C-alpha cells in the first residue's frame, strides 16, 4: 500500500471526504439529443464512485443560450434534473460525493446550434483564432449587452438550484479553458470599455458576480469554481495571469471564505496533448498561498502518479484526475496499491456509446496493461 496524504481524509465546505483523489469534470457527450443524462452516464458514474470520494460531473449547460453543444448534458429543465438524480443516487449509494460542474461555452459554439440561430455570446466581438472542428473559421460572436450579462448570471444561479434539486452535494462553476467566464477574465478575449472590461478588476467582475449569485442560491459551502490561468485553449491568453487570478482569489477569500474549494489547472496541462513533458517555470503556488480552504490541483497527473503523490504530500491539496479516470474506473485503488494503469483511448472521448466509456475493467493481474 502506498502511504501518502492523497489517501488521507479532508473536508470541502462542510463535507467530509475519505481521500483526496478527485474525478475531474470531463465532457464525454453521452447525454441524449435533448441534453438529458443517459442511462449510459448512470453506469459510467456508478463504476467510478468511491466511498468518501469526490466526483465532479460533466459540464452541464446552464441554459439554452449556453452553447447547445450536441449531447452535452444540461441543468435547465425538469427532465434534465430527473436524469441527473439517477446519477447522484447511484453515486451516493456507494458513499460518494458529487458536485455538478455548471457551464456556459460563450463564443465556443456556432449560430447553427444556438436558439433561432443567434450568434454565440461573448464579452467582445472577437472570434476564436483558427478553425473549428468542422474546418471552418470560428464565428465572430455577439458582444453581450448588460441585460444579457445579468441574464447569464441568473442562469448560473438557476442551474445551481437545479443541481441541488437533482441531488448534487454542491456545484463547481466552470471558469476555465476558454469558456465564457474565462473569456471575460482574459485580456485577449475581452476588450470591453464598460464595467466588465479593461482593468483586472473589471474583467474579473463577471466571474465574481457569478460566484456571488450561485453562493446566494445554494450557499458558500456548496459553491466552488475552476480556473486555468495558463491555458491557451480556444485562444486564451492573459497579459498578467498572476495578478489577474491573484486578484480574483483575494476577492473570493474576502467575500466568500467558506467556498467548498478552488480548483485550478497546473500550467503544464495541455488538453490536446498526450505528451507528459510539458516543462514550465510557472506554478500555482502563489494561488495556493492565497487560498486558506480546500484547493484542488489538476493537470499533468495523467502522465505521473508520482507527481500527484508529491504535490499532495507537499501541499495537502486534493488532486483531480481526468483521462486516467476514464480508463481506470478503480483508479483510487490502483493508485493506493501502485497497480499499473490502463491506457485511455482518445478516439472514444467525445460522443458515442459504451466503447471507451463504460467498458473498462477493474484491475486484476491478468488485465494489467
Amino acid at each position: 500500500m502506498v502511504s501518502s496524504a492523497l489517501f488521507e481524509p479532508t473536508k470541502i465546505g462542510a463535507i467530509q471526504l475519505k481521500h483526496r483523489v478527485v474525478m475531474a469534470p470531463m465532457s464525454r457527450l453521452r447525454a441524449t439529443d435533448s441534453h438529458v443524462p443517459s442511462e449510459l452516464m448512470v453506469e459510467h458514474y456508478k463504476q467510478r464512485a468511491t466511498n468518501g470520494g469526490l466526483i465532479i460531473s460533466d459540464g452541464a449547460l446552464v441554459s439554452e443560450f449556453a452553447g447547445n453543444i450536441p449531447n452535452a448534458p444540461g441543468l435547465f429543465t425538469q427532465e434534465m434534473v430527473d436524469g441527473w438524480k439517477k446519477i447522484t443516487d447511484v453515486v451516493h449509494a456507494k458513499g460518494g460525493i458529487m458536485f455538478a460542474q455548471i457551464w456556459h461555452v460563450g463564443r465556443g459554439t456556432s449560430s447553427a446550434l444556438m436558439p433561432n440561430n443567434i450568434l454565440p455570446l461573448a464579452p467582445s466581438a472577437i472570434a476564436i483564432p483558427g478553425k473549428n472542428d468542422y474546418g471552418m473559421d470560428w464565428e465572430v460572436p455577439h458582444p453581450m449587452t448588460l441585460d444579457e450579462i445579468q441574464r447569464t448570471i441568473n442562469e448560473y444561479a438557476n442551474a445551481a438550484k437545479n443541481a441541488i434539486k437533482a441531488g448534487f452535494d454542491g456545484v463547481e462553476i466552470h471558469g476555465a479553458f476558454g469558456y465564457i467566464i474565462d473569456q471575460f477574465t482574459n485580456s485577449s478575449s475581452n476588450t470591453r470599455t464598460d464595467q466588465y472590461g479593461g482593468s483586472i478588476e473589471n474583467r474579473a467582475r463577471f466571474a465574481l458576480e457569478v460566484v456571488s449569485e450561485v453562493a446566494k442560491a445554494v450557499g458558500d459551502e456548496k459553491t466552488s469554481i475552476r480556473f486555468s490561468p495558463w491555458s491557451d485553449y480556444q485562444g486564451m491568453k492573459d497579459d498578467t495571469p498572476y495578478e489577474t487570478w491573484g486578484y480574483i482569489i483575494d476577492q473570493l477569500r474576502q467575500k466568500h471564505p467558506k467556498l467548498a474549494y478552488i480548483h485550478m489547472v497546473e500550467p503544464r496541462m495541455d488538453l490536446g496533448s498526450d505528451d507528459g513533458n510539458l516543462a514550465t517555470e510557472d506554478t500555482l503556488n502563489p494561488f495556493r498561498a492565497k487560498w486558506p480552504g480546500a484547493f484542488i490541483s489538476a493537470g499533468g497527473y495523467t502522465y505521473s502518479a508520482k507527481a500527484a503523490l508529491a504535490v499532495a504530500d507537499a501541499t495537502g491539496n486534493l488532486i483531480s484526475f481526468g483521462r486516467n479516470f476514464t480508463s481506470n474506473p478503480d483508479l483510487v485503488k490502483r493508485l493506493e496499491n501502485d497497480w499499473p494503469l490502463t491506457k485511455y483511448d482518445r478516439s472514444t472521448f467525445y460522443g458515442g456509446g459504451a466503447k471507451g466509456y463504460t467498458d473498462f475493467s477493474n484491475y486484476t493481474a491478468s488485465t494489467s496493461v
Side-chain angles (χ1 to χ4, degrees):
M1 298 286 283
V2 176
S3 177
S4 170
L6 191 61
F7 309 111
E8 294 177 358
T10 190
K11 289 184 76 173
I12 53 168
I15 298 170
Q16 184 70 47
L17 301 179
K18 294 187 177 181
H19 60 79
R20 304 179 190 209
V21 179
V22 178
M23 180 172 164
M26 294 173 281
S27 291
R28 292 295 179 253
L29 307 181
R30 258 59 171 205
T32 70
D33 291 342
S34 55
H35 307 295
V36 175
S38 65
E39 292 300 323
L40 200 60
M41 291 173 64
V42 176
E43 178 63 20
H44 175 78
Y45 284 109
K46 179 182 178 181
Q47 291 174 352
R48 288 154 182 78
T50 61
N51 187 22
L54 174 62
I55 288 177
I56 307 169
S57 79
D58 289 58
L61 299 168
V62 300
S63 78
E64 62 180 338
F65 298 104
N68 212 21
I69 304 301
N71 300 108
L75 261 171
F76 55 92
T77 70
Q78 186 60 49
E79 190 178 8
M80 295 169 194
V81 170
D82 294 342
W84 280 115
K85 185 66 166 61
K86 296 178 183 178
I87 294 173
T88 59
D89 281 349
V90 297
V91 170
H92 290 150
K94 294 182 71 174
I97 305 300
M98 194 166 187
F99 272 44
Q101 189 185 69
I102 50 178
W103 181 40
H104 191 304
V105 308
R107 67 182 184 174
T109 186
S110 164
S111 60
L113 299 174
M114 293 288 283
N116 300 315
N117 299 127
I118 65 171
L119 285 170
L121 304 175
S124 301
I126 302 172
I128 298 173
K131 306 290 185 181
N132 63 22
D133 292 342
Y134 303 99
M136 302 171 63
D137 290 336
W138 288 95
E139 290 176 296
V140 176
H142 163 67
M144 296 165 72
T145 67
L146 294 180
D147 285 345
E148 288 167 336
I149 289 173
Q150 188 58 56
R151 181 191 70 194
T152 302
I153 293 169
N154 293 340
E155 288 168 351
Y156 275 99
N158 184 64
K161 292 176 184 177
N162 283 339
I164 301 306
K165 291 177 185 176
F168 284 99
D169 300 288
V171 297
E172 177 181 284
I173 299 162
H174 196 339
F177 292 136
Y179 297 112
I180 198 165
I181 290 174
D182 214 19
Q183 292 162 27
F184 270 91
T185 306
N186 275 265
S187 55
S188 62
S189 50
N190 183 349
T191 56
R192 297 179 73 95
T193 57
D194 61 6
Q195 63 264 45
Y196 289 96
S199 66
I200 289 173
E201 292 80 2
N202 282 355
R203 286 185 284 110
R205 189 182 308 276
F206 183 71
L208 294 172
E209 289 183 352
V210 170
V211 171
S212 291
E213 285 304 307
V214 169
K216 187 187 300 182
V218 301
D220 278 31
E221 291 185 326
K222 294 184 178 181
T223 301
S224 63
I225 190 165
R226 193 183 205 204
F227 298 120
S228 57
W230 290 280
S231 174
D232 61 1
Y233 186 63
Q234 299 191 117
M236 289 296 98
K237 181 177 175 55
D238 189 69
D239 294 332
T240 57
Y242 287 110
E243 291 81 359
T244 299
W245 280 271
Y247 170 78
I248 292 174
I249 293 176
D250 283 341
Q251 292 297 303
L252 293 175
R253 187 183 68 245
Q254 293 171 25
K255 298 176 181 178
H256 301 283
K258 294 185 178 180
L259 290 183
Y261 61 81
I262 287 179
H263 189 177
M264 296 194 78
V265 179
E266 297 279 358
R268 61 180 172 266
M269 175 63 172
D270 183 345
L271 279 179
S273 173
D274 293 311
D275 178 6
N277 299 312
L278 300 172
T280 177
E281 294 181 359
D282 289 315
T283 173
L284 292 180
N285 287 339
F287 306 124
R288 290 185 179 100
K290 286 176 175 290
W291 182 249
F295 192 102
I296 302 178
S297 168
Y301 302 116
T302 292
Y303 321 109
S304 175
K306 290 182 179 178
L309 298 172
V311 171
D313 289 339
T315 65
N317 289 173
L318 296 90
I319 306 294
S320 67
F321 296 82
R323 303 168 199 178
N324 275 334
F325 240 128
T326 296
S327 52
N328 299 275
D330 58 341
L331 180 63
V332 177
K333 286 186 177 180
R334 294 199 190 209
L335 294 172
E336 195 168 14
N337 290 280
D338 198 25
W339 293 337
L341 302 182
T342 300
K343 175 69 175 174
Y344 57 84
D345 180 359
R346 178 180 286 275
S347 70
T348 64
F349 276 2
Y350 305 112
K355 181 175 171 55
Y357 190 64
T358 58
D359 61 347
F360 287 105
S361 301
N362 289 342
Y363 174 80
T364 65
S366 62
T367 61
S368 63
V369 176

